[in-house]
Amino acid sequence: MKKTAVILYPQFSEYELSIALSILMQGNKTMVTVGLDNHSIRGESGLTCVADTTIREISIEEIDSIVMPGCLDIKTLLNEEYYLNF
Protein backbone atom coordinates (compact mmCIF):
# COMPACT_ATOMS: atom_id res chain seq x y z
CA MET A 1 0.00 0.00 0.00
CA LYS A 2 1.32 3.45 -0.88
CA LYS A 3 1.72 6.12 1.79
CA THR A 4 0.70 9.68 2.38
CA ALA A 5 3.74 11.94 2.73
CA VAL A 6 3.33 14.54 5.47
CA ILE A 7 5.72 17.37 4.71
CA LEU A 8 7.33 19.04 7.72
CA TYR A 9 9.38 22.22 7.45
CA PRO A 10 10.43 25.09 9.76
CA GLN A 11 7.41 27.00 11.08
CA PHE A 12 4.84 24.48 9.76
CA SER A 13 1.39 24.87 11.27
CA GLU A 14 0.86 22.06 13.76
CA TYR A 15 -2.84 22.69 14.25
CA GLU A 16 -3.52 22.29 10.52
CA LEU A 17 -2.18 18.75 10.74
CA SER A 18 -4.24 17.50 13.67
CA ILE A 19 -7.52 16.90 11.83
CA ALA A 20 -5.85 15.69 8.64
CA LEU A 21 -3.77 13.15 10.55
CA SER A 22 -6.81 11.99 12.51
CA ILE A 23 -8.79 11.40 9.33
CA LEU A 24 -5.91 9.50 7.74
CA MET A 25 -5.53 7.32 10.84
CA GLN A 26 -9.27 6.58 10.97
CA GLY A 27 -9.02 5.47 7.35
CA ASN A 28 -6.05 3.21 8.17
CA LYS A 29 -3.90 5.19 5.76
CA THR A 30 -0.15 4.66 6.13
CA MET A 31 1.74 7.92 6.59
CA VAL A 32 5.37 8.98 6.54
CA THR A 33 6.67 12.33 7.75
CA VAL A 34 9.18 13.97 5.44
CA GLY A 35 11.69 16.68 6.33
CA LEU A 36 14.46 18.45 4.46
CA ASP A 37 17.11 16.68 6.52
CA ASN A 38 17.47 14.56 9.67
CA HIS A 39 17.45 17.54 12.06
CA SER A 40 14.56 18.38 14.34
CA ILE A 41 11.91 20.67 12.87
CA ARG A 42 10.17 23.30 14.97
CA GLY A 43 6.58 24.21 14.10
CA GLU A 44 5.05 27.67 14.43
CA SER A 45 3.81 27.06 17.97
CA GLY A 46 7.10 25.54 19.15
CA LEU A 47 6.43 21.81 18.77
CA THR A 48 9.65 20.07 17.73
CA CYS A 49 9.44 17.01 15.47
CA VAL A 50 11.87 14.66 13.77
CA ALA A 51 10.68 13.40 10.39
CA ASP A 52 10.68 9.70 9.51
CA THR A 53 12.68 10.33 6.33
CA THR A 54 14.04 13.15 4.23
CA ILE A 55 12.98 14.67 0.95
CA ARG A 56 16.17 13.27 -0.62
CA GLU A 57 15.57 9.74 0.67
CA ILE A 58 11.91 9.18 -0.12
CA SER A 59 10.96 7.63 -3.42
CA ILE A 60 8.02 9.24 -5.21
CA GLU A 61 6.84 5.71 -6.04
CA GLU A 62 6.22 5.11 -2.32
CA ILE A 63 3.54 7.76 -2.04
CA ASP A 64 0.14 8.45 -3.53
CA SER A 65 -0.74 11.66 -1.71
CA ILE A 66 0.84 14.59 0.11
CA VAL A 67 -0.25 16.63 3.13
CA MET A 68 1.55 19.95 3.37
CA PRO A 69 0.43 22.19 6.21
CA GLY A 70 0.51 25.93 5.92
CA CYS A 71 2.70 28.25 7.93
CA LEU A 72 2.92 31.79 9.21
CA ASP A 73 5.61 32.75 6.67
CA ILE A 74 6.10 30.72 3.48
CA LYS A 75 9.37 32.60 2.90
CA THR A 76 11.03 29.91 5.02
CA LEU A 77 10.74 27.60 1.99
CA LEU A 78 11.69 29.98 -0.83
CA ASN A 79 15.30 28.76 -1.06
CA GLU A 80 14.58 25.09 -0.37
CA GLU A 81 14.87 23.73 -3.89
CA TYR A 82 14.35 20.09 -2.86
CA TYR A 83 10.92 20.93 -1.41
CA LEU A 84 9.95 22.99 -4.43
CA ASN A 85 11.02 20.28 -6.89
CA PHE A 86 9.29 17.58 -4.87
Side-chain angles (χ1 to χ4, degrees):
M1 173 184 276
K2 291 193 176 194
K3 305 171 188 170
T4 295
V6 179
I7 309 298
L8 302 178
Y9 56 92
Q11 299 300 310
F12 73 94
S13 178
E14 298 99 322
Y15 80 91
E16 290 186 8
L17 284 179
S18 63
I19 294 172
L21 296 178
S22 177
I23 291 169
L24 291 169
M25 287 179 13
Q26 290 174 34
N28 294 318
K29 179 66 175 168
T30 304
M31 296 172 279
V32 60
T33 54
V34 181
L36 186 59
D37 52 37
N38 290 321
H39 295 103
S40 60
I41 305 159
R42 186 175 300 268
E44 67 184 16
S45 67
L47 179 68
T48 301
C49 302
V50 177
D52 297 319
T53 189
T54 70
I55 201 84
R56 293 175 182 91
E57 296 170 341
I58 195 164
S59 169
I60 198 76
E61 290 80 27
E62 292 179 52
I63 61 173
D64 60 7
S65 53
I66 297 172
V67 172
M68 185 169 183
C71 64
L72 287 175
D73 187 0
I74 198 67
K75 291 178 191 172
T76 61
L77 295 179
L78 287 180
N79 296 319
E80 300 297 348
E81 194 168 324
Y82 280 98
Y83 276 132
L84 297 174
N85 291 334
F86 183 74

